[in-house]
Amino acid sequence: MNINPAQSIRGRAKLPGDKSISHRAALIGAIASGTTTIHNFSTAVDCATTLSCLEQLGVELTRNNNTVEIQGSAQLQKPTTTLDCGNSGSTIRILSGILARQGFSCELAGDSSLNSRPMNRIIKPLELMGAKFESNDGKPPLVIHGTQAIQAITYELPVASAQVKSAILFAGLGAQGRTQVKESSLSRDHTERLFNGFGVKVTTDEDLTVTIDGPAQLTGGEITVPGDASSAAYFVAAAMLLPDSELTIEGVGLNPTRAEFLSLLSSWGADISTEGVSDERNEPIGTVKVRSGINSESSSERRIDRPKIPSVIDELPLLAVVGSQLEGGLEIRDATELRHKESDRLKSTATNLRLMGAHVEEHPDGLTVAGPTKLHSASLDSFGDHRIAMAFTIAALIADGPTEIAGADCVNISFPEFFDLLDSVVVR
Ligand code: S3P
């Protein structure tokens, strides 16, 4: 894919449904009583992957464009073949929480990226709850031997992770007694909000302990998924960086555990406002307005580290690109987790930024990006990672010539409309 530089970003956009919320809404629908209707279901390939795994598990569902209707079942069926989780970490990890408490064994596997990602983080707590796993040295393929006698646990996550927290909460729904998960920093809390929205009480203490009392039954219902905040981030950053930009994005999910990038970009000079905020099954949703702007003052404060990392985990490659345009640059630390995503995102981000002429130091747990630097036209790789492809498309818009990104079609994993929507608001 060849991307030409742009002059500005102007207009209005509405984004497809949030990927994380769509996964969870589908999983909830599969095990809730009655029918669940999900509007604005994500168009991401990853979410279609979750739906096809559910179908393999005997769940009845229909998809009509972006509306998905799911009949909940008290009992899933043992699949006849391996569940193909594709590229999707959320599918394999969160679904494992449900499979851990079924009375059958089944196998889950993914593509080469997913099959190289760590799974001990779910295996350990789910085994403590009574399930048994086989794995390829802690990686997929996984065989899960579920148990209907799943046990409640109290568990402290070694690394904050919404996927792991969610797997434990989905398993905890079937356990007798109180399941508690404690995090060191708050990761996205969609599972907690949606469980509460679909009839099961989940509480979160000040010390970030999440509590659910089982056994508990979710009740099916209707939901309209908010626009994907992480997808919005690329448009917001582009409008911030390109002069004379003015962009309105409607219906964006504004959950504070996801929208932290808006505060960061504002503090770095973007003119951002949110309005018309309403609530959809406990998920805030509103309109985001952005105008270009970048602080020209140097700051030693531009560091993103531990407490904030989980709430910008998927935006970090993009924030590193923005960092290359800031006076004084940007430092990202305590982000070793980025090495375990769809690609090693610290390495992919550093490699591509350097190819565009930026000065980047790669640390075991982060990056120091110098700035401001005029980015140059270059030949880049997506590393098969949708977030890298999109972050560097935004870098390409502010470069001094056309930029080639190999394998950019991997944007389909989270945001198939990315290039078309960008074309609709880019002024060249
Ligand atoms: C997700 C959680 C995050 C995030 C991923 C989606 C989720 O992963 O990076 O894109 O939907 O729960 P971790 O739980 O591994 O941090």
Side-chain angles (χ1 to χ4, degrees):
M1 172 80 68
N2 230 332
I3 297 125
N4 289 314
Q7 275 176 22
S8 53
I9 298 279
R10 298 190 68 85
R12 298 181 85 83
K14 192 166 189 305
L15 305 183
D18 186 85
K19 177 160 89 74
S20 289
I21 298 176
S22 296
H23 282 301
R24 288 161 171 79
L27 295 170
I28 287 172
I31 55 173
S33 59
T35 305
T36 295
T37 306
I38 311 170
H39 303 284
N40 203 32
F41 189 79
S42 168
T43 52
V45 167
D46 269 3
C47 293
T49 295
T50 289
L51 294 184
S52 64
C53 286
L54 289 175
E55 283 179 311
Q56 278 183 270
L57 289 159
V59 176
E60 270 180 52
L61 59 90
T62 52
R63 181 169 191 167
N64 203 337
N65 296 320
N66 298 334
T67 299
V68 176
E69 198 173 278
I70 306 183
Q71 307 304 329
S73 14
Q75 201 89 57
L76 300 181
Q77 285 164 24
K78 180 179 167 63
T80 49
T81 50
T82 301
L83 297 172
D84 181 2
C85 301
N87 192 247
S88 177
S90 297
T91 306
I92 197 166
R93 293 199 179 117
I94 307 179
L95 183 57
S96 292
I98 294 179
L99 295 174
R101 60 182 178 85
Q102 306 298 317
F104 56 77
S105 302
C106 63
E107 188 177 54
L108 300 92
D111 64 11
S112 58
S113 157
L114 188 63
N115 285 349
S116 62
R117 294 178 66 184
M119 295 296 145
N120 279 336
R121 51 187 63 195
I122 52 155
I123 293 175
K124 189 166 173 216
L126 295 176
E127 287 203 329
L128 286 171
M129 297 178 89
K132 292 271 171 289
F133 281 74
E134 294 168 51
S135 72
N136 177 18
D137 201 16
K139 295 176 178 159
L142 301 178
V143 178
I144 306 183
H145 303 287
T147 169
Q148 281 172 330
I150 199 93
Q151 285 155 36
I153 50 165
T154 295
Y155 192 75
E156 191 162 337
L157 297 184
V159 180
S161 161
Q163 291 173 351
V164 180
K165 174 174 60 175
S166 301
I168 298 170
L169 293 175
F170 270 97
L173 275 175
Q176 194 74 46
R178 177 162 287 189
T179 291
Q180 292 191 303
V181 195
K182 183 169 162 27
E183 290 190 292
S184 50
S185 332
L186 185 62
S187 65
R188 63 194 65 188
D189 62 358
H190 302 303
T191 301
E192 298 89 303
R193 285 172 187 257
L194 292 185
F195 275 14
N196 281 309
F198 285 89
V200 170
K201 189 173 168 210
V202 178
T203 56
T204 306
D205 294 356
E206 271 166 28
D207 74 345
L208 306 184
T209 299
V210 180
T211 302
I212 181 169
D213 287 322
Q217 176 62 48
L218 294 155
T219 307
E222 207 153 347
I223 180 171
T224 299
V225 178
D228 196 305
S230 298
S231 298
Y234 302 99
F235 289 76
V236 175
M240 169 191 186
L241 296 174
L242 288 162
D244 200 27
S245 294
E246 191 166 347
L247 179 71
T248 301
I249 316 177
E250 291 159 31
V252 184
L254 293 172
N255 180 321
T257 62
R258 295 287 299 287
E260 180 63 30
F261 71 92
L262 290 174
S263 319
L264 282 172
L265 295 179
S266 295
S267 71
W268 299 343
D271 178 354
I272 300 177
S273 61
T274 53
E275 53 190 53
V277 180
S278 61
D279 199 81
E280 181 64 36
R281 298 247 175 202
N282 302 324
E283 288 286 352
I285 174 168
T287 298
V288 175
K289 292 193 166 177
V290 201
R291 289 209 191 106
S292 16
I294 199 154
N295 280 342
S296 50
E297 283 158 41
S298 156
S299 162
S300 53
E301 300 290 302
R302 292 206 184 98
R303 181 180 155 109
I304 309 176
D305 55 17
R306 194 171 316 277
K308 289 214 165 107
I309 292 294
S311 50
V312 286
I313 189 77
D314 291 336
E315 286 68 66
L316 288 168
L318 175 70
L319 294 172
V321 167
V322 176
S324 74
Q325 303 308 302
L326 301 173
E327 192 69 47
L330 173 68
E331 185 168 6
I332 297 171
R333 298 310 284 254
D334 305 322
T336 312
E337 268 301 289
L338 285 191
R339 298 204 182 276
H340 307 297
K341 296 293 177 186
E342 286 82 331
S343 71
D344 174 344
R345 286 186 180 156
L346 292 177
K347 196 164 162 219
S348 326
T349 303
T351 304
N352 280 345
L353 272 174
R354 284 185 190 132
L355 285 168
M356 298 186 88
H359 297 279
V360 183
E361 213 182 314
E362 187 180 333
H363 313 290
D365 68 335
L367 300 172
T368 304
V369 184
T373 310
K374 179 71 200 167
L375 298 180
H376 300 309
S377 125
S379 259
L380 308 177
D381 197 341
S382 68
F383 298 93
D385 183 334
H386 55 123
R387 303 231 178 262
I388 297 296
M390 292 188 280
F392 283 90
T393 297
I394 303 311
L397 296 180
I398 58 167
D400 61 5
T403 296
E404 167 78 22
I405 304 182
D409 55 352
C410 63
V411 301
N412 292 341
I413 286 297
S414 65
F415 193 2
E417 304 80 354
F418 174 68
F419 288 109
D420 286 345
L421 272 171
L422 195 59
D423 271 351
S424 73
V425 291
V426 154
V427 182
R428 286 214 158 84

